[in-house]
Amino acid sequence: MTSRQGMRARRADLGYFLGFGAPGLLFYACFVFAPLVLSVGYSFTNADAFLPNTKFTGFHNYVRLFHDSDFLMQLRVTTVLTFIIVLVPNLGGLAIAVLLNRSGRLYRALRTVFFVPVVLSSVVVAVVWQAMLTDGGLLDRLLGSLGVEHPPGWLSDPSIALYSVGSIASWQLLGFCTVVYLAGLQGVPDDLLEAAAIDGAGTWTRFRRVTWPMLAPSLTINTVMLLITGFKTYDFVQVITHGGPGTGTTATVAYGVIQTGFTENKTGLASAMAVVMLAIVAVVSSVALRILQRREVEL
């Protein structure tokens, strides 16, 4: 290839990039990268919608956060909620996937039924479940018909409300995990299962020794996605409990960021909260991904 032809090829590559890649990069820069940079910058200031003079305050907002009992409570709530969201859909999705890993119209229909909540809006899911779990709602009336005189306050009891929110979020995410595990199960070679059966391995042994190791990539996908989803949970809390009942018993960090930034107008402090949450999500997700991918290699 001559130098002139090479230059033409490079110009063609540049043209393809500008035509196909530049719009996506511009969108990313405007709506992801730029807000991230601005948030980091605001986190080192006392930015406030009602303060005309914004001043640089260094790490004051970060120091303030880790001495703020409300923020520490939000971190604890977010951690518990994330644990529920990672554990329940993973276990439930795996169990359902094993049951539905069969051929037939009934099983195909059931797969669709379990996946429907995933495509619904989180707000719609939250509103429906709020109507069911509110005091005197559908679930309470059902329990009353069974003889339960004093059903628990699913959304009004501070000791239960967080687990109710976690269960609702897990219900919506169950279908996603089921589909991922189903894809993994259908990728398990039948020859391996047949060979294990010939060697005398029972159903549980075949699952533990053959199927489960082959599902390592599915476990990685589900766990990392659920971790990220759990840490940034906001919509369920906003619609169902508004951070209550009581004082912040279900308020996550994402909920606290919105309240601090848009209700209290403390832009600098809210930005610091968002940066801290971003750092935690990045570290936890990276560590989980590294551990799970190492398990894939070892298996």
Side-chain angles (χ1 to χ4, degrees):
M1 179 183 294
T2 65
S3 59
R4 183 173 298 179
Q5 290 175 331
M7 186 177 297
R8 288 177 180 175
R10 286 192 293 271
R11 288 178 180 174
D13 292 340
L14 179 60
Y16 287 133
F17 169 76
L18 293 176
F20 295 100
L25 288 176
L26 182 62
F27 183 88
Y28 181 86
C30 292
F31 296 101
V32 178
F33 185 72
L36 177 60
V37 173
L38 287 174
S39 295
V40 174
Y42 279 135
S43 70
F44 293 104
T45 69
N46 65 340
D48 190 308
F50 295 102
L51 289 179
N53 298 321
T54 299
K55 297 180 180 179
F56 177 78
T57 58
F59 289 94
H60 173 75
N61 287 327
Y62 294 96
V63 174
R64 177 181 173 181
L65 283 180
F66 289 101
H67 288 85
D68 186 348
S69 59
D70 290 338
F71 178 71
L72 297 178
M73 179 69 172
Q74 290 166 7
L75 278 178
R76 187 189 71 81
V77 169
T78 303
T79 301
V80 173
L81 187 62
T82 301
F83 179 79
I84 296 172
I85 289 176
V86 170
L87 183 64
V88 175
N90 253 322
L91 293 177
L94 177 61
I96 295 172
V98 171
L99 294 175
L100 298 183
N101 189 32
R102 294 169 174 81
S103 59
R105 294 182 180 178
L106 174 61
Y107 295 105
R108 288 196 294 270
L110 288 175
R111 292 173 194 171
T112 303
V113 169
F114 278 105
F115 190 73
V116 166
V118 180
V119 300
L120 295 177
S121 167
S122 298
V123 174
V124 172
V125 172
V127 169
V128 171
W129 276 99
Q130 183 188 41
M132 293 176 62
L133 297 180
T134 190
D135 292 343
L138 178 62
L139 183 57
D140 283 0
R141 292 197 296 270
L142 177 61
L143 292 175
S145 65
L146 297 176
V148 179
E149 297 182 359
H150 302 288
W154 306 106
L155 302 178
S156 60
D157 188 341
S159 63
I160 298 177
L162 179 59
Y163 301 100
S164 297
V165 173
S167 300
I168 295 170
S170 298
W171 178 82
Q172 185 182 26
L173 295 166
L174 186 64
F176 175 83
C177 293
T178 300
V179 169
V180 174
Y181 279 126
L182 268 172
L185 287 170
Q186 292 175 0
V188 177
D190 293 333
D191 296 344
L192 293 178
L193 296 173
E194 292 172 2
I198 292 173
D199 289 339
T203 303
W204 169 247
T205 303
R206 290 198 302 272
F207 177 81
R208 186 165 58 93
R209 297 294 186 181
V210 179
T211 305
W212 177 241
M214 298 290 289
L215 291 177
S218 301
L219 176 64
T220 300
I221 295 172
N222 282 336
T223 300
V224 174
M225 290 296 296
L226 293 173
L227 270 173
I228 296 173
T229 301
F231 276 116
K232 65 183 183 68
T233 300
Y234 164 75
D235 38 14
F236 288 107
V237 176
Q238 172 63 35
V239 175
I240 298 174
T241 62
H242 301 287
T247 305
T249 53
T250 60
T252 61
V253 174
Y255 180 83
V257 169
I258 300 299
Q259 292 296 112
T260 303
F262 294 96
T263 301
E264 301 175 14
N265 297 300
K266 298 177 181 178
T267 308
L269 185 61
S271 297
M273 296 171 65
V275 172
V276 170
M277 196 70 253
L278 175 64
I280 293 174
V281 172
V283 171
V284 173
S285 300
S286 298
V287 171
L289 183 62
R290 186 175 183 85
I291 293 174
L292 292 170
Q293 286 182 333
R294 184 182 302 170
R295 176 177 176 270
E296 292 179 25
V297 174
E298 291 174 352
L299 292 173

